[in-house]
Amino acid sequence: MSSKQIAPSAGRALTPGAIALVLMLCLSWGFNQIAVKLALPDVPPMLQALIRSAGALPVMLFAGWLRGVKFFERDGSLWPGLLAGMLFGIEFVLIFTGLVFTSASRAAVFLYTAPFFVALGSYQFLGERLSLLQWSGLGLSFAGVALAIGVPQANVDAKVLLGDLLVVGGGALWGATTLIVKATKLRNAAPEKALSYQVAVSIPILGCASLLFGEKITHMPSALSISLLAYQAIWVVGCTFVLWFALVKTYSASKLSSFTFFTPLFGVVAAYFILHDTLTIAFGVAALLVIAGLYLVNKPDPKVVPDPNVPA
């Protein structure tokens, strides 16, 4: 054995095609925040999440049926699938509850602590190793996101900090769900099946949360709101989430997750064009920080030699 370090692999290195695909997903998710905000006057947030999951489930089942996915085959994925579904549902409860106390901009920053949880979990459970340079890249990208949406903010009290903590909890559960997919037999299940567990289990969780918070639809939603709900259910959850979990099962979890830093940046751009928010020079600097951080995260470590017994 060489004296050089051998790094266990829990996923392939990102290809240009995979990078392009995950950027498209981040663009879709960035616009999703705008879609949620535009539909809020007609449909409360928990109900939006419930409708999204309920609408996405048949899309996934149909897509899986077309591909010949055996949803009810015994493959050992049931229990990790139910656990992932519970975390998936609670994740959105924490995020939307946190938004009651904290601002949307702060929530966007703290939600995207998820890559740090993925990196930590990948180090502990998946055998992935991040160098000091790669950790610095994650920190640089996070600093870019924070700069882009104006954190820190003045007048932060205990309620705001509670909201921040709840959203961080949502980010942690997002990271935990990613790790469960990578570390259990869900990794061998079809993406449609793996995500169907999560969406199906989230429906009663979100339904109970909506009842608990007393949410109601008091009038007929507008055509715009209905179309935005369809966008969330059919495209965001029904399609992009399936593509995300297909990527998670194939590529490095920590490096793949680092690209989600682009989502809030895309959200800021979408807000500029759709909600007419103002873009500043700080956003340009922030984008450069994010890109530089992602370069450091994905830069190969010359001291690491891939194990020939582990597939790339």
Side-chain angles (χ1 to χ4, degrees):
M1 180 182 294
S2 169
S3 60
K4 292 184 178 181
Q5 178 186 0
I6 294 179
S9 174
R12 294 166 50 193
L14 296 180
T15 64
I19 291 173
L21 181 56
V22 76
L23 288 177
M24 182 273 290
L25 299 182
C26 291
L27 178 62
S28 299
W29 298 336
F31 177 75
N32 184 62
Q33 307 305 316
I34 308 301
V36 172
K37 186 170 182 178
L38 289 173
L40 276 178
D42 291 331
V43 186
M46 294 287 182
L47 276 175
Q48 280 198 52
L50 172 61
I51 293 170
R52 182 175 66 175
S53 289
L57 184 58
V59 175
M60 287 181 228
L61 294 176
F62 180 69
W65 175 74
L66 289 177
R67 293 206 316 121
V69 174
K70 298 178 180 179
F71 286 98
F72 300 101
E73 181 182 33
R74 293 187 178 182
D75 56 5
S77 65
L78 176 61
W79 290 111
L82 293 177
L83 175 59
M86 181 181 67
L87 297 181
F88 185 83
I90 297 174
E91 171 193 335
F92 286 104
V93 172
L94 289 178
I95 292 169
F96 285 117
T97 304
L99 282 167
V100 174
F101 302 107
T102 192
S103 67
S105 60
R106 291 179 67 88
V109 170
F110 291 115
L111 175 59
Y112 285 88
T113 56
F116 289 96
F117 293 109
V118 172
L120 286 171
S122 297
Y123 178 86
Q124 291 292 328
F125 304 114
L126 302 183
E128 295 185 13
R129 297 294 183 265
L130 292 181
S131 67
L132 179 60
L133 189 65
Q134 291 170 317
W135 279 110
S136 299
L138 279 173
L140 196 61
S141 290
F142 184 78
V145 172
L147 178 61
I149 51 185
V151 174
Q153 298 175 352
N155 303 321
V156 175
D157 58 18
K159 287 185 177 181
V160 173
L161 293 177
L162 173 60
D164 295 341
L165 183 61
L166 290 171
V167 175
V168 169
L173 291 182
W174 180 12
T177 303
T178 300
L179 293 170
I180 289 172
V181 172
K182 291 285 289 185
T184 69
K185 291 187 177 180
L186 276 176
R187 182 176 183 175
N188 300 320
E192 295 91 343
K193 183 174 182 178
L195 190 57
S196 290
Y197 281 123
Q198 298 170 59
V199 173
V201 175
S202 73
I203 290 173
I205 294 175
L206 293 168
C208 290
S210 179
L211 289 174
L212 181 63
F213 284 93
E215 292 186 346
K216 296 179 181 178
I217 297 178
T218 58
H219 57 274
M220 179 65 184
S222 67
L224 175 62
S225 294
I226 292 173
S227 64
L228 291 172
L229 288 172
Y231 168 80
Q232 294 181 57
I234 297 172
W235 173 245
V236 174
V237 181
C239 296
T240 68
F241 282 13
V242 171
L243 292 172
W244 167 255
F245 280 100
L247 290 170
V248 165
K249 289 168 57 179
T250 305
Y251 296 98
S252 166
S254 56
K255 293 182 180 180
L256 185 64
S257 188
S258 69
F259 274 85
T260 58
F261 278 113
F262 270 112
T263 301
L265 295 181
F266 287 144
V268 171
V269 174
Y272 171 76
F273 285 107
I274 298 172
L275 302 178
H276 306 295
D277 289 353
T278 302
L279 289 182
T280 64
I281 296 177
F283 175 79
V285 175
L288 293 177
L289 288 176
V290 171
I291 293 170
L294 291 174
Y295 170 77
L296 294 178
V297 169
N298 289 278
K299 185 177 181 181
D301 188 347
K303 297 181 181 180
V304 176
V305 177
D307 188 342
N309 296 318
V310 178

